[in-house]
Amino acid sequence: MTITTGKTIVAIATAVVPQQGSIGIVRLSGEEAVNIARNLFDAPGKQLWESHRLLYGYIRHPDTKELVDEALLLLMLAPRSFTREDVVEFHCHGGIIPVQEVLKLCLEQGARLAQPGEFTLRAFLNGRIDLTQAESIAELVGAQSQAASVVALAGLQGKLAHPIRQLRATCLDILAEVEARIDFEEDLPPLNEDLIRQQLKDVLQQVKDILATANQGELLRNGIKVAIVGRPNVGKSSLLNAWSKCDRAIVTDLPGTTRDVIESSLVAGGIPIQVLDTAGIRDTFDTVEKIGVERSQKAAQSADLVLLTVDAEAGWTEEDQKIYLQVKHRPLILVINKVDLASPETIIYPQEIQQIVTTSAANQEGIDLLETAILASVQTGETTAANLELAINQRQAAALTQAKQSLEQVQETIKANLPLDFWTIDLRGAIQALGEITGEEVTESVLDRIFSRFCIGK
């Protein structure tokens, strides 16, 4: 992405869905945004073209005056806008044709089609938001659960940027004290090394605390993939239906009903879960069923967690053992289903299996216990994904890891009684790493990588 400002950009800011959307928004930002709006928008009467005011009127072709749409126009003049530039939004009728026609007219008037994330990039470059807030916007748009939305909103409000800035400010103060002793040693009192050590210790601990949210943040944003596997007719599809509370999969008494992998998206404990109901794994000469079995085996190998499902009435069979040997190296929960028909205590299963859950999918029993077991298998530590106040992403975690390593090296340098010049090397490394998180020190390639993941109208 080539970073440019000033040039007026335009994009469709809402989803374009045929015969679905009631309103479609075309957004302009830049020095010519208002002029373009005046050329295209006819506001009848004596409506005032003032900032943060909605105008009612008609979008017309500037030359032929042909009517394009009846619409509302929203003006947000600099600096009181998201990008801190003049921003104009055409609120058109939804669908494909109106917004496409308005977009075309804006381009003909000299605007340039915005690149992915360019509106948010301009907000960052113009000091409207920092880099953590920009990333939080993308995470809020892509949130798959309420918990993920709450964490994204916290980031948008600066709950991550604020402590990072404080840590960086402390490191800058320490660096200033050290460099002052290097340059003006004879004119200043001796350096309080005990105080420096304590400050570095406090900063390092806070860095570690924030860094500890990385795994849970990853769970909130991306969730986990869970594969329900087992031999035919053990109740895998019934389990999916009971869990999702809908008839997502066809259920019959005939073995081999499920011929392909069926996907369903659920949320448990604030974590998005992609559930894969797989075809029953068995030896078969049926060509279609054989393909389904192969896909089931691939799904089991790619899943983050396997739910090995067995029939309580049939017990642990030779076929169950074969399947277990295929998936035993994966994170696994043994689900003993159909406990309404037989006692699970009679089943003799491999003792190395640690997590066992009993269910009666037909009666929708044991689903809560299953969710609890799944969450226990993916959540570590005392903080769960459902009650996080902030959660860093992979980029932020990498920068914090670098800061942690630099701070630890400073401590080792002090212990080794090395000259003050050596202290400054790793202090600067920590300061730079912390600055990369908020965007105070960032390269164009990093910005390109971050904002290219945004949708075009954001």
Side-chain angles (χ1 to χ4, degrees):
M1 178 189 295
T2 302
I3 297 177
T4 58
T5 57
K7 179 71 174 180
T8 301
I9 57 174
V10 63
I12 299 172
T14 49
V16 179
V17 183
Q19 302 176 348
Q20 295 294 322
S22 58
I23 295 176
I25 298 176
V26 178
R27 177 179 294 152
L28 287 156
S29 179
E31 57 188 20
E32 291 298 318
V34 176
N35 288 335
I36 292 174
R38 285 186 177 276
N39 289 340
L40 301 180
F41 194 77
D42 176 15
K46 298 181 180 180
Q47 301 179 66
L48 299 178
W49 286 66
E50 296 178 342
S51 185
H52 293 76
R53 179 184 290 270
L54 271 174
L55 305 180
Y56 162 78
Y58 305 93
I59 302 171
R60 299 183 183 275
H61 192 284
D63 298 326
T64 65
K65 303 304 177 184
E66 180 182 354
L67 179 64
V68 175
D69 196 12
E70 181 183 22
L72 296 176
L73 183 73
L74 174 60
L75 297 174
M76 292 170 282
L77 302 182
R80 296 173 57 210
S81 71
F82 177 61
T83 62
R84 283 193 172 166
E85 301 174 334
D86 287 344
V87 172
V88 173
E89 291 183 352
F90 294 98
H91 291 230
C92 316
H93 287 94
I96 294 178
I97 303 303
V99 290
Q100 293 287 359
E101 287 297 313
V102 175
L103 176 65
K104 179 182 176 182
L105 289 177
C106 291
L107 293 173
E108 290 175 353
Q109 289 293 301
R112 171 176 62 77
L113 187 64
Q115 299 179 53
E118 191 168 1
F119 289 94
T120 307
L121 174 60
R122 290 192 175 195
F124 166 71
L125 294 175
N126 293 329
R128 173 68 172 76
I129 57 176
D130 64 38
L131 206 51
T132 66
Q133 291 173 306
E135 290 175 300
S136 294
I137 291 172
E139 290 164 6
L140 182 60
V141 172
Q144 301 179 56
S145 69
Q146 180 65 29
S149 174
V150 169
V151 169
L153 282 171
L156 190 55
Q157 293 168 354
K159 289 188 177 181
L160 174 58
H162 180 66
I164 295 296
R165 285 201 186 96
Q166 286 186 322
L167 295 175
R168 187 169 183 268
T170 300
C171 291
L172 283 168
D173 289 342
I174 295 173
L175 179 63
E177 288 287 331
V178 174
E179 289 185 330
R181 296 313 186 283
I182 295 174
D183 297 333
F184 310 102
E185 182 178 5
E186 297 179 355
D187 302 324
L188 295 172
L191 189 67
N192 188 338
E193 292 190 15
D194 290 337
L195 177 60
I196 296 294
R197 287 191 185 95
Q198 187 59 50
Q199 288 177 321
L200 287 172
K201 182 180 178 181
D202 293 342
V203 170
L204 180 58
Q205 185 57 53
Q206 291 180 64
V207 167
K208 289 179 179 178
D209 290 342
I210 299 174
L211 193 56
T213 68
N215 290 337
Q216 299 298 344
E218 189 70 12
L219 281 175
L220 279 178
R221 296 180 181 96
N222 300 323
I224 60 172
K225 183 186 294 184
V226 176
I228 307 175
V229 303
R231 59 186 178 82
N233 215 31
V234 295
K236 299 185 299 299
S237 296
S238 296
L239 188 64
L240 173 62
N241 289 345
W243 194 0
S244 61
K245 295 181 175 60
C246 68
D247 293 334
R248 185 70 179 84
I250 299 173
V251 177
T252 73
D253 293 331
L254 299 174
T257 300
T258 302
R259 296 296 187 97
D260 203 351
V261 177
I262 299 174
E263 298 185 14
S264 186
S265 297
L266 305 171
V267 175
I271 296 176
I273 300 178
Q274 181 186 9
V275 186
L276 308 177
D277 174 27
T278 65
I281 298 175
R282 65 174 177 178
D283 294 329
T284 178
F285 294 103
D286 185 296
T287 303
V288 176
E289 186 178 0
K290 189 174 182 180
I291 294 173
V293 170
E294 291 173 352
R295 290 184 178 180
S296 297
Q297 292 168 332
K298 289 180 180 179
Q301 299 306 318
S302 65
D304 300 304
L305 180 66
V306 172
L307 304 183
L308 176 57
T309 309
V310 300
D311 183 343
E313 189 174 23
W316 187 270
T317 68
E318 184 178 346
E319 288 80 5
D320 295 323
Q321 180 67 22
K322 289 181 180 180
I323 298 171
Y324 171 67
L325 293 176
Q326 295 177 26
V327 299
K328 62 181 296 186
H329 63 287
R330 306 294 301 168
L332 181 143
I333 296 175
L334 175 62
V335 180
I336 303 176
N337 193 34
K338 302 185 182 181
V339 294
D340 54 314
L341 302 179
S343 173
E345 298 177 358
T346 61
I347 297 182
I348 303 176
Y349 52 82
Q351 292 303 304
E352 63 263 28
I353 299 179
Q354 298 296 316
Q355 286 190 292
I356 299 96
V357 176
T358 60
T359 63
S360 172
N363 297 324
Q364 296 189 338
E365 296 175 358
I367 303 302
D368 291 343
L369 295 175
L370 178 60
E371 285 192 357
T372 300
I374 291 172
L375 294 176
S377 70
V378 299
Q379 292 182 329
T380 58
E382 297 179 358
T383 304
T384 63
N387 58 24
L388 284 176
E389 289 188 358
L390 60 88
I392 58 175
N393 59 33
Q394 289 181 338
R395 184 195 72 84
Q396 295 158 357
L400 273 173
T401 299
Q402 182 59 54
K404 171 177 169 290
Q405 293 171 349
S406 296
L407 291 168
E408 290 172 339
Q409 188 58 48
V410 175
Q411 291 182 330
E412 291 298 320
T413 299
I414 296 174
K415 284 182 181 180
N417 293 317
L418 293 175
L420 295 181
D421 301 75
F422 288 86
W423 297 26
T424 64
I425 296 172
D426 293 303
L427 272 172
R428 288 194 183 95
I431 291 167
Q432 180 175 347
L434 292 171
E436 288 175 0
I437 296 174
T438 56
E440 290 163 287
E441 298 194 38
V442 68
T443 63
E444 184 172 335
S445 62
V446 171
L447 294 179
D448 187 17
R449 186 167 68 251
I450 292 172
F451 289 98
S452 63
R453 300 169 185 168
F454 282 59
C455 59
I456 289 179
K458 198 63 182 173

